[in-house]
Amino acid sequence: MEQEMADVVVATRSNGNVGQQISHQAIFDKANRPVSLKFEDVVYKIKVKKEGLFKKTIESEEKIILKGISGIVLPGEILAMLGPSGSGKTTLLTALGGRLNGSLSGNITYNGKPFCNVMKRNTGFVTQDDVLYPHLTVMETLVFTALLRLPNTLTKEEKIMHAEDVITQLGLTKCKNSIIGNRLVRGVSGGERKRVSIGQEMLINPSLLLLDEPTSGLDSTTAQRIVSTLWDLANGGRTIVMTIHQPSSRLYYMFHKVLLLSEGNPIYFGKGGDAMDYFTGIGFAPMFSMNPADFLLDLANGVSVDDSRDDQAILKQTLVSAYKSNLAENLETELNQPNGNLHSVADGKQHNRWTTTWWQQFSVLLRRGVKERKHESFSGLKIGQVLAVAILSGLLWWQSDSSHLQDQIGLFFFYSGFWGFFPLFNAIFTFPQERLMLEKERASGMYRLSSYFMARTMGDLPMELVLPAVFVTITYWMAGLKPTATSFLYCLLVLLYSVLVSQGFGLAIGALVMDQKSATILGSVIMLSFLLAGGYYVQHVPSFIAWIKYVSIGQHTYKLFILSQYKAGETYRCAQNRTCLIEDFPSIKSVGLDGHVLSVVALAIMLVGYRLVAYIALMRIGVTRK
């Protein structure tokens, strides 16, 4: 049967329609350390909450997703996990990759050792959905990954060369300068995108490679090319485990071993070529020649070719019982055999937790973030929006003077309101949009959370600060505010200060909620509450709710804006051409012309505090068992 599988691989590669296939030789060097993966009696349970008529939880029950699954995959082998949707394939794969939290029991070992950080560094995990930045090119994607994941024993130039080698070996040379793209942005094809995902994992030369539905959504020729690549990688001594939904027959015979699942139960584990004989031997033979994978999936769904067997539940239970009677004992014997010459991946080595320094991670993530988001940050729409509002505001408040004191104060309140909401909504989407990427990269141990957080927030600062600076420069002089450099700089610094605080507030809400729609609603409600308590609309706030102004970004900003223009003792023209003291003007009196230090300190606390909340909220993402 091994020869039959090899013949299928050679035959499919010689097909004239696939003329530019990767050569039959192993496309990468051999694995650093071969890994024998064993999993014994793996059980995974979750708690399912039941809801009443009005969505009130009335009770929770325990649901078993994986029901005592065992298996072994040796170096040089491909294990394909088959089964209908909901059978537990992805859950098991996630558990084997050390990424599953919760009520997981059983024993999963890698050369006889449990999962650890060193094993994480030698494990590649390719998710079903290709989580990639759409506006980076193929080359940029792999180079940034290489700079982050490859150790400092390699120079920067060597890491880039390694990325170029991966591009060549995966047949991505023609599209290396094309952007990845997504549903909204035209980029590389689905097959090329999948090979980029595999290439990201192959950069670290993993001993164990796990793939979730690598052929999902691809045509048969592209799917065959992907699996042929995996065959070559296995020949290099790697251990490969993949889930696959409905492979063609020529793909099926490329799998060394097959694990068939039905509702979390194993009903077959063994060589792929022996599966048909096994089921024929227990009384389930196909009535006509068919794709083995289709036949196995029919059985896993409780569908038999024998029309007399109508009860799916009985059929599934029969298959589970047959597995326990005919296969479980032999598998247990195989699992108890020693690993032979295989040693732990960590044997004889001292490893740091991170392959690169904090500063390297920060600088690479900063450059990558700027490249990915420059199209959004420097978009003509956003710039045009700010310029249009600035010019309109300047015209509405054109050359107002002290006789129009209420108008000038209204402009300052507009400053605090507009530049409270604008950076807030820009920042709210930051972490929800990047959640999948952060989960993926943190789970692989690519970088520290602190380096990501600093790079992500610092990368947005240029446009966060440039646009308000341009805005206030236009409106300040058009509105005829106090024409001194000191007052202008004071006003500008106050605006930039408040923008940073509002950005931190948006980051905190986005990180806490992690849902764009919910975060937007929550941010709007809170910011409107701050705005209403800002001292402009309501000057006599009842004492029981007056506390809001002390935590209001808008109120402190509004007060500092007023202090940038007016000082106690100054006068203005009031009714009947009399002069009145500035501090007696109602809108100013309610805010006061003192306590600027308190407002500066309050905003400083918010500036640090909101970002700290965002960072702590992000710590729950990408946490996996060790």
Side-chain angles (χ1 to χ4, degrees), residues 252-415:
Y252 177 85
Y253 284 111
M254 296 172 73
F255 307 142
H256 299 90
K257 290 180 177 177
V258 168
L259 171 62
L260 182 61
L261 299 176
S262 176
E263 296 182 350
N265 291 294
I267 57 176
Y268 178 77
F269 179 84
K271 293 182 178 180
D274 295 345
M276 299 294 283
D277 292 339
Y278 165 74
F279 286 108
T280 299
I282 61 172
F284 297 94
M287 301 296 293
F288 50 87
S289 179
M290 62 185 302
N291 178 1
D294 292 340
F295 176 67
L296 298 183
L297 286 172
D298 283 345
L299 292 178
N301 279 304
V303 178
S304 173
V305 293
D306 185 352
D307 294 335
S308 64
R309 301 177 187 261
D310 294 327
D311 194 323
Q312 295 183 358
I314 294 177
L315 174 58
K316 292 177 182 178
Q317 188 57 46
T318 301
L319 294 172
V320 172
S321 300
Y323 171 84
K324 293 178 179 178
S325 302
N326 299 291
L327 298 176
E329 185 176 346
N330 292 335
L331 178 56
E332 184 177 354
T333 301
E334 187 178 0
L335 287 169
N336 291 329
Q337 293 178 355
N339 291 320
N341 296 325
L342 298 178
H343 302 284
S344 171
V345 174
D347 285 350
K349 294 184 179 181
Q350 294 293 327
H351 290 272
N352 295 322
R353 183 178 180 185
W354 308 104
T355 59
T356 53
T357 65
W358 187 95
W359 180 254
Q360 286 176 310
Q361 294 171 6
F362 170 78
S363 60
V364 172
L365 290 169
L366 181 62
R367 282 185 285 129
R368 185 181 74 172
V370 170
K371 275 185 173 289
E372 166 60 23
R373 293 189 301 279
K374 64 183 179 182
H375 72 283
E376 179 181 341
S377 298
F378 296 92
S379 68
L381 184 62
K382 184 178 292 186
I383 296 172
Q385 175 188 1
V386 171
L387 290 178
V389 175
I391 294 172
L392 178 62
S393 301
L395 293 173
L396 289 172
W397 275 278
W398 178 260
Q399 297 301 310
S400 61
D401 54 31
S402 60
S403 63
H404 304 109
L405 190 58
Q406 182 63 40
D407 290 346
Q408 288 187 345
I409 293 173
L411 176 60
F412 294 135
F413 193 76
F414 174 71
Y415 275 178

Side-chain angles (χ1 to χ4, degrees), residues 164-176:
E164 290 176 341
D165 290 341
V166 169
I167 287 174
T168 301
Q169 292 162 338
L170 286 177
L172 296 170
T173 304
K174 291 183 178 180
C175 64
K176 72 176 184 177

Side-chain angles (χ1 to χ4, degrees), residues 505-569:
F505 182 52
L507 293 174
I509 293 179
L512 285 169
V513 179
M514 276 297 177
D515 177 79
Q516 295 183 21
K517 184 176 180 180
S518 301
T520 301
I521 295 173
L522 179 61
S524 300
V525 171
I526 296 177
M527 190 58 77
L528 281 173
S529 301
F530 288 168
L531 202 64
L532 291 174
Y536 182 79
Y537 295 121
V538 184
Q539 297 173 13
H540 304 286
V541 181
S543 57
F544 64 86
I545 201 173
W547 59 269
I548 296 180
K549 68 181 181 181
Y550 298 110
V551 296
S552 168
I553 300 173
Q555 198 272 347
H556 293 294
T557 304
Y558 174 50
K559 184 171 188 174
L560 291 176
F561 276 136
I562 290 177
L563 290 171
S564 73
Q565 296 293 306
Y566 313 114
K567 300 291 183 292

Side-chain angles (χ1 to χ4, degrees), residues 67-102:
K67 305 173 182 177
I69 301 175
S70 301
I72 179 173
V73 199
L74 301 176
E77 292 183 338
I78 298 177
L79 169 64
M81 296 191 288
L82 301 177
S85 299
S87 60
K89 304 187 300 295
T90 298
T91 303
L92 178 58
L93 190 78
T94 307
L96 297 181
R99 302 185 176 206
L100 191 63
N101 294 313

